[in-house]
Amino acid sequence: MLDVDLAAPRGAMKAGSEPTEQLLSSIPLHLRTHHWPSQSPPLFKRNVSDANSHLPGTLERPSLLHQESDGSSDLVESKGLSVLYRPSKVDLDLVFIHGLGGSSLKTWSFARHTENFWPLWLSQDPEFAATRILTFGYNADFRGPSTILNITDFAKDLVSRMLTFDEEIEEGPRIRMGQIVERASAILGYPQEHSSPLAADHHSICKFNSNTDENYVCVKGILKMMRSKIEIATGLSTALPATQRPLDSVSIQSAQDRAGEPRSSAAEATKELQEILGITYSVESDLNARKAQKMAGSCQWLPRKQSFQDWFERAGTDTPIFILTAPPAAGKSTLASYVIDWIRDGSLDTACQYFFFISDHQVKRTVSYCLRMIAFQLAIRYDTVREALFKLKGETHTTFERQSSKDVWEKIFQGIIFRIPFKEDLFWILDALDESDTPSSLCDMLIRSRSMTPIKFLVTSRETREVSNFMYNAKDKVIHEALTPTDTYQDIKECVSATMRANLPQDRESRDEVIDQILLKANGSFLWVRLTLDTIRDGWHTQEDIRKALRDVPEGMEPLYAGMLRHIIQQNPSKRAMAREILTWIVCSYRPLSLSELHAALTPTFGGFLSLEDTISQICGHFVRVADSKVSLVHATGRHFLLNQSSGFISKYEGHQKLALACLRYLSDDSWRHIFALSPRNLKITKATHSSRYSDEYPFLTYATQHWAYHVKNAVCNSDELWDALDTFIHGYILVWIHGTAISSSLQTLVRTAQDLRYFCHRHARVRANTAGPPISLKTHDTQWLRSWATDLIRIVRKFGRVLLQNPLSIYRLIPVFCPSKSQISMVYGRTPDLGISVAGISSSWWDDCMARVSGIEDETISRVFSTESYFITLISTKGKAIVWSSETCAELRSIYHNEYTTHMAVNKLGTVLATAGIRTVRVWELSSGREIGGFPQNSEAKTMTMTFGQSDGSLIIGREDFSVQTYDISSGLVTSTFWTRPQQNSDMNGPRFMTISPDLTKIAVAERGKPVFVWDMELFQDQQPWRCVRHADRLRSVHEQEAWTASEVACWHPDGTSILILYQGSGIVHWNFTEDSQKEYSHIEGREIVLSKDGNFLLTSDPSGTLYVWALPRFNLIYKLFYEDIVRDIAFSPDGQRIYDSRGAICNVWEPDILIRQDDNGRDDVSSNHESGAESSILSDPVTHISQNNSTAGQITALVCDPEDEYYCCGRDDGSVTIHSAKDGVRVRKVYNHSSTVSIVALEWSKSGRFIISGDDAGRIICKRLESKGVGIWAVFPGFDIRFKDLVRQFVFHPNEGSLLISTESSDLLWSIRGKTRKEILRKSWPSSIGRRWSLCPDDATKLLWIDPHKIDAFGWEDLELHQSQSTNPTPADEGKWQVEAGRPSLNRTTSSGTESVRCISATRNGQHLVTEIVPTGSFSSLAPRNLGVHHVLAFSTTSKRTNAVRRVALSDLAQQTSRVLGIFNDRILFLDTTFWVCTWELSGLVPAMKRHFFLPRDWISPTSMQLVTYNKHGTVFCPRNGEVAIVKNGIKT
């Protein structure tokens, strides 16, 4: 038996292209590539117009063609590099090189006749139509005359000829070398190496008698597989129509134009697709692993099956599903791999995507990853899919690694893929459905799939309950084929025969006896056959050995496994212990380990191995296989056997404890902090970069970092050894672990770890509660601290996730001090003196569930709130205004104006388009820009009751008060369909109380006043009888009775589309399944508003008092209760169900309760015991676990100022109060005075001496008081003055001698005397338009006051407010301007040159020679978005100098791009908040400005109001309002 072995290509892309090399290195065939030196090879060269066309080419025989006298021609031998086939367009070169004693032609020709030269047969295959075929000949007669040349010289000659080849060809990767050699020579040890056996001898191994020869078909298939890998890695592909071109430069540019991010290569585009979809494993690796197990010529019976042909040939828009069921180990996966190749080889007008579920791989067993992998393959092949994903990412920043399978299905498949009319048939092959985490959910998706392009599914599985139900429910779509031993008998026979021929080539009698005996007991199980052959082969030496082995081999997998286990147990104790340890790691690991990972994990116990692979094969009794350097069990059934109680060889809980201890001890090492610190701080390090950087030197690091908690979760929960290891790790090394996790950009690991620790604590509590008798351990394990750490980890990700990714080192110095004082991370790591920075002023000692409070227009009620992945939208109906907020930062992004009373909003499935419905019009908007993209007039006077997007983003479905349901085409505004939910002649009766459309858009629920709730099927005719929900209490009432039914208030659909929840007035909630006409009443639930989470797991309700409740379905257990004042107007869940939004008056609250965090969709459950999955669900569904209540009795802070000595600060609030607080700890010293409880303080100033304080409110009232300190914290307050203005005050400025005061409003300025006991107005001046100005003290002349606007600096006299000098400061090099007195110009006519900009901040350096001004668009003071921000550095001016100096304004454009708000100047450095809300400084003294980041403001401190009030004192202490308090950050700014 000989092997075909081809080497993996290297260097096909530009040098140093890591992503491409990683893709190429996964190619399982050993083929060398070469790229030409003149320039870097273009990535994508194949380009033809018709997908079904055969690329034209010519057969070339320049030096090989010999013309005979009779006119015939034949190939002749030639030396050097010769072309045999030249296509019109070349993307690959295939060079055939013979060995010693061979020749360029006869080596490849059957019977050495050149008419049988098989390489030319490849040119007739469409997949090789663009492949140029060459041979290389050299003097290989090693028996001839001696020569000074050797094989190395011939190889150099070949390379030289390739480099200097004289043909004009387009650059690109070339396949340069192939090998068809004996096994010993074929196995080269390359990564991802793959070999295939050929039944031939040494001379015929590379010669085939026809193109139907099985060996030729095998070699051609391997070449095709290799070519497919190169197509994916480098962009080569069969030409397809424009909508389905593979990854190429055109599609990349198109994606760039639409998403705004350039992608310079296919490798970058592929990498971005991997990041968007969360693809972390090779596409082809699982396919290749299964193909490697397939014998040549096997599985060919399947396409001949009538059922298979019916499925494959079925036409139309139907979605046929072929289900192939069989017992375990019957070859289902091998059949799936065969079908994939069969479809790919059969036609160019088909495309095949696939996925192999793997039960012992916690990621590859998830439906979510399956769907993402299918989407990735489609995106690689079709530019329409690729561009849509790039556009979605660009507009919403959505990635799918953390998304549930339902979200992936809805957004990618229903929202994108199913809406694309592909030009070729799609085939999706899904193997081992029974090994997936949620088979029923995937079955439901397949049943409900509706695609513009027909998709044919092939599913393999054991016939489980879920699969049987699936086949029954979808019997009209399903074609079922049950695999029988008869089907695979011939394949098994060929497999056994080939093995026996190779091992017993001479003894035919013994060989046939073994074959007959094995076939008699095989019962269709390939695995049984394989293991039996391995077992027999281990001990045969004589014929009697063989007969005995055959007698001893049991039938069935269970007895066979038992015999294998006995062999392990019978080994000497050291080998037995080693085998148990190895099998424990393989059985309990989260995913299959690599050899290097397993070696590193076992080294602390056994020391180094000479060859771990050999050790495994020798002592593990055939339970383990090693393929592609990955170690796994031979089959999933082996895992169940080894963990079975009857075998007793491996204990699940003790096994996981062993792995948990190994991981924890590995991570509890002081060296990791130093190693992680070597990573660049400001460089974004991806998972791939992190893995490639550390995996070679520390192969076990990634596994231990990501999965230690998974093993803790499943370990023995009362083990003292485990608890001690947890204590050591968490109290000494957990910050280092978080640092390493942040470096790898995998913060979701922290959330999964928290979920696993919570589960472990719940298990521990249950075990303790159920344990009778004396405790097993003398120690009492308090789990509260571990529960608290679980909460901390979740909060760290939510609150500081962006900070960790930007600066992983912040976990040591910054993050612990910003955590609540009673959190574990604060108590353990946040109170060490060497941190320097500290936080005070916040009374809350625990995590606050409220992440943000936002408001749109003052005193205008928010009527509706809606949430998407990237945004949440608040609607102010009375103003016709929708405000779009960022889900991540809760910052206002933009406002959308409908310009009439607006009642409803709707968002498409992708979360990119918003529709608003007013009284007269419906308008459609792009959320990412706020741009209007469509709309139409309302064609009915009936009130809109409900609105949603249709099956496409180009349609809207609107239900109205006249009981009509109309579908509109958005582009034309035309009605495409109308459905009436009651006869039209009765439509003038009372209108509906509510209308709500089902998630699948096929049904609508309608409730009339005093009537039951009806559900109508909108896909049926009008004369249908709707479903009717009559509560049990109303059953006795007749439809014709005048007495009304219990009133239904509101209803919401369950995501399954077959049931609905109805809230009844004073009677609780009814869960009604209308398809079964069954209902359950939950009278303990009362509410005003109700909403279901998208996954249907949680119900959110609000009561009339404003309290929120969260109920866990399906049992409707109360799990969360939140007290808060004010009536709730509307409520919403975020799409992931982990955040709550509510609107109360003019405020929208954003809540993130920990209780909503659930196990993600990435397979964290241990599948070894399925019975525990339900237990876990019940454990985590506790009764009320958290009560949040707003305890803030003081109003929100609306104005803030520090005292001159920086010992106190004063704040004004929205209740009109003005209070003084200690700058040390935020404690209130005293209340100074009060305006009115109904007004807010909008301006506040404290004089330099501390003797005067003045404030203005939003009603125009101004109060000034004189203060006198009577001791530490003791203040006396004396009357000043109390006046009213018609305009709001913008600014107060005290005269340096505090004898007078300037009061500035938008249109006028008032000069007021405060000297002595005199309190009177001195002067008042009005300006026509001066909104953009701001006043500042003159740094070099106390008699003058500076007027600064975006384009001027003017000097006015303090006594009379008369203009003395004026200076233009436009930052233009052509006209810097000069100081001059504007004689004769009336000062009362002052105007700014532009009314579109305003000065927000002015700050001067200590020497007074430099001013920094912050210029913003007028009206943007309250926005977090720094629109057109300008920071100007005004240099070298003087009002006292007689020289006419130029006042130069330098626009700090680099700084402005990074600035959210300028705070001022601290130690001659600009102090500002950057766009990610870090407190930063910018050096002005140096020649090159230097930016330095000091600390960040936590996410829940950030709001539009608080950002405008952040201030600082002369010590660098920063003050930030937060929820009615002021957070005080000390020692945060380092000099």
Side-chain angles (χ1 to χ4, degrees), residues 348-366:
L348 283 178
D349 57 358
T350 60
C352 182
Q353 289 75 42
Y354 58 87
F355 186 78
F356 294 86
F357 287 102
I358 303 175
S359 62
D360 60 352
H361 196 299
Q362 300 298 318
V363 174
K364 291 183 180 180
R365 63 184 288 263
T366 65

Side-chain angles (χ1 to χ4, degrees), residues 1444-1486:
T1444 55
N1445 296 324
V1447 177
R1448 184 162 57 92
R1449 171 173 286 180
V1450 179
L1452 302 176
S1453 56
D1454 290 342
L1455 173 60
Q1457 292 175 1
Q1458 304 177 63
T1459 301
S1460 174
R1461 189 196 156 204
V1462 174
L1463 302 180
I1465 291 182
F1466 175 72
N1467 290 342
D1468 287 342
R1469 293 177 290 172
I1470 299 177
L1471 186 65
F1472 66 97
L1473 296 176
D1474 71 4
T1475 54
T1476 58
F1477 306 108
W1478 277 74
V1479 176
C1480 309
T1481 53
W1482 182 283
E1483 294 287 350
L1484 289 174
S1485 57

Side-chain angles (χ1 to χ4, degrees), residues 120 133 169 320 353 594 597 630 742 767 829 894 1054 1335 1347 1436:
L120 284 181
I133 300 175
I169 61 174
Q353 289 75 42
S594 68
E597 287 176 324
K630 295 291 184 182
V767 168
Y829 295 104
R894 61 194 60 89
H1054 194 278
W1335 293 96
W1347 161 310

Side-chain angles (χ1 to χ4, degrees), residues 422-486:
F422 298 107
K423 302 299 183 182
E424 56 187 0
D425 295 339
L426 297 181
F427 290 83
W428 293 356
I429 313 301
L430 307 177
D431 177 62
L433 176 64
D434 55 296
E435 297 187 28
S436 68
D437 59 342
T438 54
S440 58
S441 67
L442 182 55
C443 292
D444 186 63
M445 292 172 188
L446 299 183
I447 293 174
R448 296 172 179 269
S449 59
R450 302 285 188 275
S451 174
M452 293 184 67
T453 302
I455 304 172
K456 298 179 181 179
F457 302 96
L458 186 146
V459 179
T460 70
S461 175
R462 290 185 297 115
E463 192 165 345
T464 61
R465 178 176 54 83
E466 292 94 340
V467 174
S468 298
N469 291 340
F470 171 46
M471 291 189 292
Y472 176 79
N473 295 331
K475 51 183 174 289
D476 295 336
K477 290 185 175 184
V478 167
I479 299 174
H480 177 218
E481 181 70 34
L483 197 64
T484 66
T486 304

Side-chain angles (χ1 to χ4, degrees), residues 984-1013:
Q984 296 184 48
Q985 61 267 24
N986 295 329
S987 61
D988 57 345
M989 298 179 65
N990 291 332
R993 194 173 184 87
F994 62 78
M995 301 174 77
T996 178
I997 299 172
S998 65
D1000 62 4
L1001 308 179
T1002 62
K1003 299 174 181 64
I1004 185 168
V1006 182
E1008 298 181 47
R1009 291 173 173 82
K1011 299 293 182 182
V1013 176

Side-chain angles (χ1 to χ4, degrees), residues 1088 1100-1109 1121-1129 1131 1142-1144 1149 1151 1188:
R1088 187 173 183 270
L1100 174 64
T1101 66
S1102 66
D1103 67 15
S1105 68
T1107 301
L1108 296 181
Y1109 303 84
K1121 188 175 183 179
L1122 185 145
F1123 293 101
Y1124 195 75
E1125 69 259 11
D1126 295 334
I1127 296 176
V1128 175
R1129 299 278 301 183
I1131 52 178
D1142 71 49
S1143 62
R1144 304 168 189 257
N1149 295 297
W1151 309 94
S1188 179

